[in-house]
Amino acid sequence: MSHLLPPLQNLRAFEATARRLSMTLAAEELHLTHGAVSRQIKALEDHLGTPLFRRLTRKIELTEAGASFFSVVTRLLSELAREAEAIRSRSDTQRLVISSGVSFASRWLTPRLHRLMALYPEFDVHLEVTDIWVDFARSQIDVALRYGPGIYPAATAERIMNETVSPVCAPEYREQVGGLAEPSDLSKCQLIHEVGMTATWERWFAMMNLPYAKGRGPGYSHGSMSIEAAIRGEGVALGRSVLVAEDLRQGRLVAPFPQAKLDVELGYDLVYRNGNQLHPKVQAIRAWLADEVRNAGAVQVP
């Protein structure tokens, strides 16, 4: 059967030429050269064994066979386009695409996604992990979870969690340095830095009215990396409350000064296209996030 069908590109060239009665205009529409369109139509005519156009001096006309074939091709291509759009629409309805920053995805989101899938089995959940901002106008992303100031271009943001930072380290490291009874004991520790964070060690020491020895210790580009470094015993990190909560519960980290918390201006936001606040996907993940935040005991939005 397939060998009886002409190539689809030949049909597209024929349909555009027959509709516009111009190979030049068809070539512009299909982003092809005039010669390419002419060759595709000639190949189609050879395949069918009959001319489809009359080539006149300054114009072309459909032959009787061409007019009949054009009617069939137009109907079939329209049906094909409608069915393709219906399939895309069904797929878009079932797929929930979430974009998340690297650290939040690895330390908080991924371990919890199985509960979202169980709660909403009608969605096929897809997670895309990147710190690059999402252009909702050009992507298939439904929602983004981002750490930032809460202001994003051409999108709506809802704050889901605020955050504080405080020193954390591995329990073995605390023993290694002879205990950490007072904040001033950090002077004998190696400090782990998250590069680019506004909540820095310098600010934390200033909050505690303690001198700060600038530049001590390694730096990491992501909060998840600085937390892993602390778990490995490389030193003391400024633990972001959302990202270290589970490690503190499991005993992989300890917070020697739990009350010495520095507030952070940034937070975690649910971000989506403007006007989509009542979209079923947005409503579903909003409700799920509210439950997860409440059960995690995170710093919720007042």
Side-chain angles (χ1 to χ4, degrees), residues 2-301:
S2 60
H3 71 280
L4 298 176
L5 297 174
L8 179 59
Q9 67 268 24
N10 293 356
L11 294 178
R12 293 182 65 228
F14 167 73
E15 187 278 332
T17 302
R19 174 165 38 84
R20 310 192 72 164
L21 290 177
S22 168
M23 290 189 189
T24 299
L25 295 178
E28 292 177 1
E29 178 180 320
L30 299 174
H31 303 290
L32 298 172
T33 65
H34 181 284
V37 171
S38 179
R39 287 190 296 273
Q40 289 185 15
I41 290 175
K42 181 63 168 61
L44 180 59
E45 290 176 325
D46 291 343
H47 182 87
L48 297 174
T50 186
L52 298 173
F53 294 97
R54 297 186 188 93
R55 277 79 167 173
L56 306 177
T57 304
R58 294 185 178 276
K59 63 179 181 178
I60 58 175
E61 294 178 349
L62 284 164
T63 63
E64 184 177 348
S68 176
F69 193 60
F70 176 60
S71 175
V72 174
V73 169
T74 301
R75 176 173 56 80
L76 293 178
L77 289 179
S78 296
E79 290 180 2
L80 183 62
R82 283 195 298 271
E83 184 60 24
E85 180 58 31
I87 291 173
R88 279 195 297 269
S89 178
R90 289 195 294 271
S91 177
D92 290 344
T93 301
Q94 295 169 350
R95 181 178 299 174
L96 171 56
V97 184
I98 304 169
S99 173
S100 172
V102 174
S103 293
F104 186 69
S106 63
R107 308 301 305 183
W108 196 92
L109 180 59
T110 304
R112 294 171 165 82
L113 272 184
H114 67 281
R115 291 197 284 269
L116 174 64
M117 298 174 191
L119 190 60
Y120 297 99
E122 65 270 28
F123 292 136
D124 294 326
V125 177
H126 293 252
L127 176 62
E128 297 188 6
V129 179
T130 177
D131 287 327
I132 299 172
W133 173 237
V134 174
D135 183 353
F136 283 104
R138 296 176 178 269
S139 75
Q140 298 300 313
I141 303 296
D142 293 302
V143 295
L145 295 166
R146 284 296 186 272
Y147 181 70
I151 302 173
Y152 302 93
T156 300
E158 298 178 12
R159 180 58 50 90
I160 55 173
M161 285 182 284
N162 290 316
E163 192 168 58
T164 61
V165 298
S166 59
V168 296
C169 65
E172 297 81 6
Y173 184 81
R174 182 174 59 179
E175 294 178 9
Q176 177 185 326
V177 297
L180 295 171
E182 301 291 338
S184 58
D185 291 340
L186 288 176
S187 61
K188 60 187 176 183
C189 298
Q190 177 160 271
L191 303 180
I192 300 170
H193 303 264
E194 181 181 346
V195 179
M197 272 289 288
T198 58
T200 61
W201 274 115
E202 186 172 9
R203 285 183 58 191
W204 188 87
F205 274 92
M207 180 185 71
M208 302 303 295
N209 295 313
L210 291 171
Y212 171 64
K214 189 174 182 179
R216 287 189 295 130
Y220 293 91
S221 62
H222 290 82
S224 56
M225 295 178 181
S226 64
I227 293 168
E228 289 295 334
I231 292 172
R232 290 194 300 268
E234 292 182 12
V236 182
L238 268 182
R240 289 159 54 179
S241 57
V242 171
L243 302 187
V244 301
E246 188 61 26
D247 296 304
L248 291 171
R249 273 193 290 270
Q250 297 292 331
R252 291 185 290 269
L253 293 173
V254 294
F257 319 114
Q259 304 308 314
K261 296 178 180 179
L262 177 64
D263 289 328
V264 180
E265 299 84 356
L266 308 180
Y268 298 90
D269 299 301
L270 170 65
V271 192
Y272 50 85
R273 292 175 182 83
N274 289 332
N276 268 19
Q277 63 269 20
L278 298 181
H279 193 285
K281 294 180 183 179
V282 175
Q283 290 184 311
I285 198 166
R286 180 192 291 122
W288 171 75
L289 282 169
D291 286 341
E292 291 293 331
V293 170
R294 186 164 49 249
N295 294 335
V299 184
Q300 300 182 41
V301 178

